[in-house]
Amino acid sequence: MGYYYQVQDDFLDCYGDTNLTGKRGTDIQNGKCTWFIVTALEIASDQQLAVLKDNYGRWDETCVHEVKNVYQDLGLRDLYRQYEESSFRELDAIIKALLESVVFPREIFYDYINKIYKRIK
C-alpha cells in the first residue's frame, strides 16, 4: 500500500490540481526519482531519452514542459491508470486472503485502501 500511495503522490505532483492538493508540484524541477521518470526511462526512445536528460532536474518552465511532453508522448497517464487499477486489484486480493484476526481485521485495510484509491489530493 505504501508503494501504491507513493506512486499516486508522484502522479499528483505532476498532474494534480494545485487548488486541491495545496502544493505546487516540483518533482521534475528537483530531479526526483519518481514513478514517472523511472517508467519514462524504461520505455523512451533514444531521442526522448536525450530530451529527458537535457531537461529533467532544471528549474525552467520550458524544461518542465519538455519533460511533460515526453510523458504525454509515452502515454504515461494511461500507464499510470493501468498501474492504479492493477494495484488496487492486487491489494484487494491480498486483503481478501488475510485471515480474520482480533488484531488486524480486514476492515482496517479496506478503510485505508478505500481512502487512497483514486485520490485527488
Side-chain angles (χ1 to χ4, degrees), residues 1-111:
M1 279 190 207
Y3 183 77
Y4 171 62
Y5 184 88
Q6 183 58 54
V7 173
Q8 282 183 323
D9 194 62
D10 294 346
F11 175 83
L12 293 173
D13 185 272
C14 190
Y15 295 111
D17 181 341
T18 304
N19 294 324
L20 293 175
T21 62
K23 65 178 185 171
R24 180 174 171 253
T26 58
D27 285 355
I28 292 171
Q29 295 92 319
N30 285 316
K32 289 193 177 179
C33 183
T34 68
W35 181 89
F36 282 89
I37 192 63
V38 170
T39 303
L41 293 173
E42 290 175 343
I43 64 175
S45 68
D46 289 341
Q47 182 180 3
Q48 290 166 325
L49 288 171
V51 171
L52 293 172
K53 182 179 178 184
D54 291 343
N55 293 284
Y56 201 76
R58 298 182 188 260
W59 282 86
D60 179 297
E61 286 305 312
T62 302
C63 293
V64 173
H65 183 72
E66 289 296 317
V67 170
K68 287 186 176 184
N69 281 342
V70 171
Y71 288 179
Q72 181 176 338
D73 292 344
L74 294 172
L76 291 188
R77 279 183 170 209
D78 291 336
L79 290 176
Y80 167 77
R81 294 292 179 214
Q82 291 170 16
Y83 166 81
E84 182 177 42
E85 291 301 320
S86 66
S87 293
F88 180 81
R89 285 192 304 273
E90 181 181 349
L91 288 167
D92 183 51
I94 291 168
I95 294 167
K96 285 178 180 171
L98 290 174
L99 296 174
E100 277 294 333
S101 73
V102 176
V103 179
F104 293 111
R106 289 183 189 139
E107 292 77 25
I108 291 172
F109 297 103
Y110 278 119
D111 285 347

